[in-house]
Amino acid sequence: MSTSKASPGLRRSLSVTDVVLITVSGVTPASSIFVIAPFALQGAGSGTFLAFALAALLAAAFALCYAELGAAHPNAGGEYVMIERVFGRRLSLLMYLLILCLLLFVPAVLATGAAPYLNSALGARLDGAEVALVMIVLCFGIAVLDIKLNAWLTGSFLLLEVAALTLIAWLGFSEARQPAAVLWQPVMAAADGGLATVPVAAIAAMAGIAVFAYNGFGGAVYFAEDMRESGRPVAQAVLATLLIVVLVELIPVTALILGAPSLAELSRQADPIHYVLSHLSSSAVARVISGGIFLSVFNAIIAIVVQSGRFLYSSGRDGLWPAPASRALQRIHPRFGTPWVATLALALPSALLTFHSSLAGLASFTVIILMLSYLLLALAALRSRRGRHPHPYRMPWWPWPPLLAAAGSVYLLWAALRDAPARDGWIMAGIVLAGVLLAAQRPRRKVLIIDEQKER
């Protein structure tokens, strides 16, 4: 028996602009640069520019897949619903588990990397795990509030974030100490203390980290049931988000590379971003920027938790959980009109991850999950037009974008697994096995698509 009538549904109050503000905040370009990009700077030196440029090309292919599939299959469940309607229940449950892991891990990754920036802003020595825990608790609580309030809140924080990144870009370009040639002739620290050419393989490997930095543009699809109109507006929100994210991340990264006093030291530093900023600005400016970065991470976690609430709400409505859990996940707050149980569901496991995981380990594992989910979406975009479902938005140059997305995700998945500890491989095998077992036990049922609901 369907549980779709247990909930009054989400409030359809968001415009495309509202969705873009929340989704860009979830990507949080500033925290992507300060928490994720350092791994690329350490692994590829000035080749980070090419890694981010290559990642932007791949991200465009991924975004076109999201745009077409999100417009054709509008549902708060996002990716797993797309896969359900194209490939069926078995692969959709695998996708569900992958996205669930992403929504669980990403807030922990961001919160774990935020404490140094708060300490730098305040001149304090607060414990990183305790700071991360407080952030998780506050962000999950705020995410329960009215969706329009969250759109306004995340949009306001986003303006501060963009202002901080604009300042960083101005400092880097105005005080450039490296020739522009290092961007397309990349170098990094050599074993003898000098500079060495960055191998192509290193740039390609760091492109996976860069894709992670851009990741989140597809989160716009979770708000299909909050938007005043679905279909093409969902596609517009996805593509607009990616364009903003690429510009707001690639420009400051380029400025930081050109403003580095020494490219050898840049790739050796444990915190390469702080190394550059400490030479480009005064301590007071650096503290202001650090405060802005901390607020941007806080903002990102709020936006991601808002998305995860919609995702879990949809899974409860579609009956993916035992009946009592599915009914609970569908509960809508009587005042705020938000799925409050679904929003709070991941609070405890996210909090525990901040105490029992390293930032590098979380980031590496997240890239593996991300590439596998992108691969499934690319394959769905190749097949979706064969079905009976209308496609209000059709990507240009099809089928080349999904073919590029599939090829890129396969390579980056292979590169990530090659360098990952055996533990990550076993965890991924466990996720796949869980998806297969869940598919065998759960009966097939039709997922709810909002345009179909309106026609009834």
Side-chain angles (χ1 to χ4, degrees):
M1 180 175 178
S2 174
T3 59
S4 64
K5 294 184 179 180
S7 166
L10 302 173
R11 292 177 182 172
R12 298 179 64 83
S13 60
L14 297 184
S15 65
V16 172
T17 300
D18 292 329
V19 173
V20 170
L21 288 175
I22 297 176
T23 311
V24 174
S25 297
V27 178
T28 183
S31 64
S32 294
I33 291 174
F34 280 77
V35 178
I36 308 302
F39 294 113
L41 290 168
Q42 293 162 351
S46 69
T48 299
F49 170 80
L50 292 178
F52 269 74
L54 175 60
L57 178 63
L58 289 174
F62 297 141
L64 288 170
C65 295
Y66 261 107
E68 178 163 326
L69 292 170
H73 314 286
N75 184 289
E79 297 93 342
Y80 87 84
V81 173
M82 302 171 190
I83 300 301
E84 166 85 10
R85 300 188 87 199
V86 176
F87 291 120
R89 171 63 49 150
R90 184 165 298 175
L91 282 180
S92 79
L93 289 172
L94 173 59
M95 175 62 90
Y96 178 81
L97 293 174
L98 291 173
I99 300 301
L100 186 63
C101 288
L102 278 178
L103 293 173
L104 175 63
F105 276 78
V106 172
V109 170
L110 296 176
T112 303
Y117 298 103
L118 180 61
N119 285 331
S120 176
L122 300 178
R125 294 185 178 181
L126 301 174
D127 180 75
E130 292 178 359
V131 169
L133 176 61
V134 171
M135 290 178 68
I136 290 292
V137 171
L138 289 176
C139 290
F140 273 85
I142 293 172
V144 173
L145 302 178
D146 182 83
I147 186 65
K148 286 290 287 185
L149 174 61
N150 271 301
W152 178 86
L153 181 63
T154 55
S156 300
F157 276 125
L158 183 61
L159 291 177
L160 296 175
E161 181 177 349
V162 172
L165 292 176
T166 301
L167 176 59
I168 291 170
W170 179 80
L171 289 171
F173 288 127
S174 64
E175 301 287 339
R177 304 183 185 186
Q178 302 295 332
V182 300
L183 299 177
W184 53 85
Q185 297 174 355
V187 293
M188 62 182 298
D192 60 5
L195 290 171
T197 300
V198 182
V200 173
I203 295 173
M206 290 304 105
I209 293 294
V211 168
F212 181 23
Y214 291 141
N215 177 58
F217 48 84
V221 301
Y222 298 130
F223 300 105
E225 296 182 49
D226 293 279
M227 297 181 73
R228 295 167 191 156
E229 297 181 28
S230 59
R232 288 186 66 88
V234 176
Q236 293 167 357
V238 171
L239 297 176
T241 298
L242 177 65
L243 178 61
I244 294 170
V245 167
V246 169
L247 291 176
V248 175
E249 290 191 19
L250 185 57
I251 292 174
V253 164
T254 305
L256 288 167
I257 293 171
L258 296 179
S262 166
L263 292 177
E265 285 299 318
L266 177 70
S267 54
R268 289 196 191 99
Q269 293 291 319
D271 187 354
I273 309 291
H274 178 73
Y275 163 73
V276 176
L277 290 181
S278 65
H279 286 82
L280 293 179
S281 62
S282 65
S283 59
V285 173
R287 291 179 68 173
V288 169
I289 292 175
S290 293
I293 300 309
F294 176 79
L295 290 177
S296 76
V297 176
F298 189 83
N299 188 37
I301 297 174
I302 295 174
I304 293 169
V305 173
V306 170
Q307 295 172 8
S308 69
R310 272 70 190 160
F311 177 79
L312 286 170
Y313 163 82
S314 177
S315 70
R317 186 182 58 196
D318 293 336
L320 296 189
W321 301 89
S326 290
R327 286 193 296 268
L329 290 173
Q330 294 179 79
R331 291 180 181 171
I332 300 295
H333 195 283
R335 177 179 177 185
F336 302 128
T338 56
W340 66 276
V341 174
T343 300
L344 297 175
L346 297 182
L348 180 59
S350 291
L352 292 175
L353 277 174
T354 63
F355 281 93
H356 298 287
S357 302
S358 68
L359 178 59
L362 284 172
S364 173
F365 183 64
T366 303
V367 169
I368 295 173
I369 298 175
L370 187 62
M371 291 305 114
L372 188 52
S373 63
Y374 279 156
L375 175 59
L376 289 175
L377 280 175
L379 296 176
L382 284 170
R383 185 173 177 178
S384 181
R385 294 188 186 184
R386 299 180 184 177
R388 297 172 297 169
H389 313 296
H391 285 62
Y393 170 81
R394 289 176 176 257
M395 74 178 79
W397 311 300
W398 186 91
W400 298 111
L403 287 173
L404 174 62
S409 56
V410 166
Y411 175 80
L412 293 176
L413 178 62
W414 170 80
L417 287 172
R418 178 191 59 192
D419 299 330
R423 176 201 61 193
D424 289 355
W426 284 109
I427 293 175
M428 289 304 304
I431 292 174
V432 173
L433 179 60
V436 172
L437 293 177
L438 190 59
Q441 295 177 3
R442 303 299 296 172
R444 180 177 176 83
R445 62 197 311 157
K446 184 179 180 182
V447 297
L448 180 66
I449 298 299
I450 58 175
D451 288 339
E452 295 174 354
Q453 184 185 33
K454 290 192 294 183
E455 292 172 0
R456 292 174 183 159

